[in-house]
Amino acid sequence: MSDLPSRAQGAVLGLAAGNALGLPFESIWPASKIRQVTQGVVREIPDDTRESPWDDETAHFALVAESILETGDIEPRDLAQRLIRWRDENGRGMPVLLEKVLEEVEGDVPVLEASEEVCERLGKNWSAGNGSLVRAVPVALAAKGDRIRLVRMARDAARTSHWNPLCVGSTIALGLALDDLLQGREFDPASLAAEISSLGLPETVSQAVSGARLPLSAFQLDGKQKGWAIKSLQVALWAARAEGTVEEILERVILEGGDTDTNAALAGATLGASRGREALPERWIESLHDSSRLSDLAQALSR
Ligand SMILES: [Mg+2]
């Protein structure tokens, strides 16, 4: 049985491992094509991962974590400044929507106004991407079981760039599920769906949470709206309850295609939060870029 420090590290290292495992297949989105290329086996993190900068999901974890540790909260302005610095350093894998918001912020539009404005400009479909969900991981660690604080922080973290209510709702839902797992509780889709409804979040989000009981194929990850926040939320929640080893489950997620690196990163986070660091293959952790920094941040946030 894992303890909280192990689950906290598991969430973060699982995120980074899933991110790295799914990354090579990000642009080969049909599942049939990925199966053909991999012959159905995705178990190894690419050799160049250790030397390369973090991809956006892992980079996001670190910069949101650093912002929370410094400000004690989610401060959209501080977060946006860190995102701009990261973009200028390398910005590897940065979502287009985030790029547009940061351009506005640099033009002196206040962060939340910029986020709302870009969301309106893109329209409700194009603005519902999965880019904010990863912020639920540092937020859930920092909230330490205080669900009211968690909801507020997840909302502000999502809204910093992803104003769409589906993005905000999905980020909150993932944060609450992670909180259950980090506290060593089983995550129950029905009660989480009821909690989401009681918070006044979109019905689409509570339906997606209830749907975590469905088989993975039901989410049609390589179908339309493949980078949709709702789909990534579903796969992350599904993974937390899936049977098999972490290797088997992440392989299944990636072989379904779609936005493979984000889906596997979020599934890795829920798996690690529920099973602890010990459930992750040690060779994966050794292959990651600066895994000790990720562990340190997980520990500092959850202490
Ligand atoms: Mg990515």
Side-chain angles (χ1 to χ4, degrees), residues 12-271:
V12 177
L13 296 170
L15 182 166
N19 190 180
L21 273 173
L23 191 60
F25 313 103
E26 183 184 29
S27 52
I28 319 178
W29 52 270
S32 56
K33 182 87 181 156
I34 295 177
R35 282 175 195 276
Q36 196 187 358
V37 169
T38 60
Q39 315 225 313
V41 182
V42 185
R43 296 278 170 112
E44 302 306 325
I45 288 178
D47 291 339
D48 61 353
T49 302
R50 215 171 201 288
E51 310 308 325
S52 310
W54 288 320
D55 183 51
D56 64 319
E57 283 77 15
T58 308
H60 244 88
F61 165 77
L63 67 88
V64 175
E66 284 160 0
S67 180
I68 294 173
L69 288 168
E70 205 161 299
T71 66
D73 206 340
I74 291 289
E75 297 284 355
R77 222 186 116 72
D78 182 81
L79 196 49
Q81 293 308 326
R82 287 172 197 270
L83 287 162
I84 288 171
R85 280 204 295 278
W86 165 64
R87 179 202 63 191
D88 294 345
E89 276 163 25
N90 68 75
R92 188 178 183 199
M94 173 179 262
V96 179
L97 187 149
L98 174 58
E99 217 172 309
K100 289 184 190 296
V101 173
L102 296 181
E103 274 168 26
E104 298 285 327
V105 171
E106 282 185 307
D108 275 345
V109 180
V111 180
L112 298 182
E113 259 175 56
S115 174
E116 187 175 7
E117 200 265 307
V118 169
C119 173
E120 272 168 25
R121 199 181 340 138
L122 292 178
K124 65 176 178 1
N125 289 333
W126 289 104
S127 65
N130 55 18
S132 67
L133 265 81
V134 67
R135 298 177 194 160
V137 179
V139 162
L141 289 167
K144 302 181 187 78
D146 179 344
R147 285 169 92 83
I148 293 172
R149 181 159 185 253
L150 189 155
V151 168
R152 188 182 50 73
M153 287 176 80
R155 181 198 63 200
D156 293 347
R159 277 188 178 170
T160 296
S161 55
H162 288 61
W163 190 266
N164 188 311
L166 293 183
C167 303
V168 176
S170 299
T171 307
I172 292 173
L174 179 59
L176 290 170
L178 281 166
D179 177 59
D180 279 331
L181 301 169
L182 288 166
Q183 305 302 323
R185 290 190 296 266
E186 238 174 75
F187 141 68
D188 173 44
S191 57
L192 182 59
E195 190 174 356
I196 295 297
S197 293
S198 74
L199 289 167
L201 295 168
E203 208 43 40
T204 311
V205 177
S206 49
Q207 281 164 6
V209 171
S210 305
R213 286 174 290 206
L214 297 171
L216 185 59
S217 59
F219 308 139
Q220 301 187 326
L221 296 181
D222 70 342
K224 277 189 204 151
Q225 299 173 305
K226 63 188 170 65
W228 203 31
I230 293 290
K231 289 204 180 195
S232 296
L233 170 66
Q234 285 184 303
V235 71
L237 300 184
W238 170 86
R241 298 163 40 86
E243 282 177 18
T245 64
V246 172
E247 282 178 289
E248 288 163 355
I249 295 167
L250 290 184
E251 182 177 71
R252 286 183 63 192
V253 166
I254 293 165
L255 291 175
E256 287 290 308
D259 196 352
T260 48
D261 73 314
T262 310
N263 291 340
L266 299 175
T270 56
L271 280 164

